[in-house]
């Protein structure tokens, strides 16, 4: 049995524990194809993302996962304004998704690391330079820009 | 004598011919330079239209940079901000931003108040709205590259 099948089988039980109560949904798009997943989770508390639900699109190369590569994870495009997220594509700059990936990590670890990144951005190599500059120069304005973007995305979905 | 006169005429004609050719060459170089500059400019404009920074921007989206002047000129901010618009409030008029946030509570998220002026320009770049509405006297404070991130700049 492949690792992703094992993860899938144990996932729903783990999602019901208090540890992962902030995840509203994590499942494959189609039960017969474990290469495409979606996740929805609550933004971390005491961050500009608090009170908003965020969406991730996860792609897994079933031939490579988890030994030769981790999942490819993107935020829903044009939703998350963050120094380490490319606005137009939702691409995320996170070590764990690139060089720091090892097979001990699971999908839940990845989603958890992304949530932590939202609350604590890395400014050394930002994907969105302008948002990084706002974060650095005027944190209160950064919070308002993040929430403006999230609110507009939420209204667009209604 | 006649031979000398003919030689002089021949020399004059030859000099005139050379002068005419030089003039034609200068005109040709001028025309070619004009064509090259025009083609270059058209290519520059074309590239500007294809600028990925503003390629996907909705034509009616607006970004207001609030100053006292702009605040006084626009009467109905509710209407202005109800569209695909956002307001960036400069630090010196933060009190106006706070006032508008209270007055327009249903769309207060569209009003962003800044403590740092340089962050305002970063926000304009990030937001990439089609039209930047700004007081004329603030235009000189704008970074030169800002025009690449908006479709047009308007002064009210």
């Amino acid at each position: 049995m492949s690792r992703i099948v094992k993860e899938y089988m144990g996932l729903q039980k783990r999602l019901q524990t208090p540890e992962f109560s902030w995840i509203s949904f994590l499942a494959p798009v189609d039960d017969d194809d474990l290469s495409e997943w979606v996740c929805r989770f609550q933004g971390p508390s005491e961050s500009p993302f608090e009170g908003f639900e965020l969406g991730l699109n996860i792609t897994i190369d079933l031939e490579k996962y988890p030994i030769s590569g981790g999942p490819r994870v993107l935020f829903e495009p044009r939703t998350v304004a963050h120094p380490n997220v490319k606005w137009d594509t939702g691409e995320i700059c996170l070590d764990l998704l690139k060089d720091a990936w090892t097979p001990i990590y699971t999908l839940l670890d990845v989603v958890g690391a992304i949530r932590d990144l939202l609350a604590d951005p890395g400014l050394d190599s930002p994907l969105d330079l302008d948002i990084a500059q706002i974060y650095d120069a005027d944190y209160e304005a950064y919070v308002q820009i993040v929430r403006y973007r999230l609110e507009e995305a939420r209204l667009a979905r209604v | 004598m006649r031979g000398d006169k003919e030689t002089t005429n021949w020399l004059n004609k030859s000099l005139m011919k050379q002068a005419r050719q030089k003039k034609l060459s200068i005109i040709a170089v001028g025309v070619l330079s004009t064509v090259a500059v025009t083609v270059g400019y058209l290519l520059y404009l074309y590239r500007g239209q294809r600028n990925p920074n503003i390629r996907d921007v909705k034509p009616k989206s607006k970004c207001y940079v609030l100053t006292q002047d702009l605040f006084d000129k626009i009467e109905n901010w509710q209407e202005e901000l109800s569209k695909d618009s956002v307001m960036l409030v400069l630090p010196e008029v933060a009190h106006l931003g706070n006032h508008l946030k209270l007055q327009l509570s249903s769309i207060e998220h569209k009003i962003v108040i800044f403590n740092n002026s340089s962050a305002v320009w970063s926000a304009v770049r990030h937001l990439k709205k089609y039209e930047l509405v700004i007081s004329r006297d603030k235009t000189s404070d704008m970074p030169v590259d800002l025009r690449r991130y908006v479709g047009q700049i308007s002064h009210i």
Side-chain angles (χ1 to χ4, degrees):
Chain A
M1 190 189 298
S2 74
R3 229 293 286 281
I4 193 64
V5 174
K6 284 182 193 163
E7 278 191 51
Y8 178 45
M9 290 174 72
L11 199 59
Q12 295 313 317
K13 200 172 175 183
R14 290 195 72 190
L15 287 177
Q16 284 165 12
T17 63
E19 188 187 355
F20 296 106
S21 59
W22 49 274
I23 298 181
S24 350
F25 186 80
L26 174 59
V29 175
D30 177 351
D31 285 343
D32 295 329
D33 175 11
L34 299 185
S35 66
E36 298 289 335
W37 294 60
V38 286
C39 177
R40 298 206 68 80
F41 68 95
Q42 295 298 321
S45 55
E46 295 177 22
S47 83
F49 299 88
E50 183 173 8
F52 288 92
E53 192 177 67
L54 304 157
L56 292 170
N57 296 317
I58 303 169
T59 306
I60 295 171
D61 185 333
L62 299 175
E63 300 288 316
K64 293 181 178 172
Y65 184 88
I67 304 296
S68 336
R72 182 166 184 262
V73 188
L74 302 173
F75 275 109
E76 288 171 346
R78 295 171 178 254
T79 305
V80 173
H82 184 279
N84 306 114
V85 178
K86 197 174 269 185
W87 170 254
D88 284 324
T89 61
E91 181 187 340
I92 303 164
C93 180
L94 179 65
D95 285 353
L96 192 144
L97 294 172
K98 292 169 184 167
D99 302 336
W101 171 260
T102 75
I104 61 165
Y105 293 123
T106 65
L107 284 185
L108 282 176
D109 292 324
V110 169
V111 176
I114 290 169
R115 187 174 187 251
D116 291 346
L117 183 72
L118 289 179
D120 187 16
L123 297 184
D124 292 340
S125 54
L127 276 182
D128 190 322
L129 193 59
D130 294 311
I131 282 292
Q133 283 171 346
I134 300 167
Y135 180 93
D136 195 39
D138 191 341
Y139 182 76
E140 284 177 37
Y142 165 76
V143 172
Q144 294 170 78
I145 294 273
V146 169
R147 297 182 77 80
Y148 162 70
R149 289 298 209 183
L150 291 169
E151 194 63 46
E152 290 295 292
R154 179 154 68 184
L155 290 170
R157 280 198 298 270
V158 174
Chain B
M1 283 296 283
R2 193 177 173 187
D4 287 344
K5 201 175 180 182
E6 277 176 3
T7 306
T8 307
N9 282 341
W10 179 82
L11 271 172
N12 281 341
K13 279 182 184 172
S14 179
L15 285 170
M16 281 171 71
K17 193 178 174 186
Q18 276 183 8
R20 213 168 33 240
Q21 279 175 342
K22 197 174 174 184
K23 198 174 171 184
L24 281 171
S25 300
I26 290 168
I27 291 170
V29 168
V31 169
L32 284 173
S33 302
T34 308
V35 169
V37 168
T38 307
V39 168
Y41 182 64
L42 288 173
L43 279 172
Y44 169 76
L45 287 180
Y46 176 71
R47 281 186 64 190
Q49 283 174 349
R50 303 272 302 165
N51 185 345
N53 290 326
I54 55 169
R55 196 176 50 201
D56 300 326
V57 174
K58 290 178 192 170
K60 287 181 180 172
S61 62
K62 288 185 185 181
C63 176
Y64 295 90
V65 175
L66 190 72
T67 52
Q68 182 70 54
D69 187 37
L70 200 63
F71 179 80
D72 293 340
K73 283 180 180 163
I74 292 180
E75 286 179 10
N76 193 341
W77 280 108
Q78 172 85 43
E79 191 185 326
E80 291 296 327
L81 293 178
S82 63
K83 302 162 196 165
D84 183 4
S85 307
V86 64
M87 175 194 284
L88 309 181
V89 182
L90 287 167
E92 58 265 33
V93 288
H95 61 286
L96 298 178
N98 286 320
H99 169 74
L100 284 171
K101 268 183 181 278
L102 286 173
Q103 205 176 38
L104 312 173
S105 56
S106 63
I107 49 172
E108 66 91 24
H109 69 280
K110 293 185 169 199
I111 301 166
V112 181
I113 302 172
F114 286 81
N115 296 315
N116 180 309
S117 298
S118 69
V120 174
W121 309 124
S122 297
V124 173
R125 285 192 208 95
H126 167 77
L127 291 164
K128 294 190 188 82
K129 298 292 183 185
Y130 180 76
E131 187 177 350
L132 175 65
V133 185
I134 187 167
S135 295
R136 198 173 293 278
D137 63 330
K138 281 288 163 196
T139 316
S140 56
D141 298 345
M142 280 173 21
V144 285
D145 71 324
L146 212 67
R147 291 174 190 277
R148 291 197 284 117
Y149 294 84
V150 294
Q152 72 177 68
I153 297 175
S154 307
H155 308 287
I156 291 181

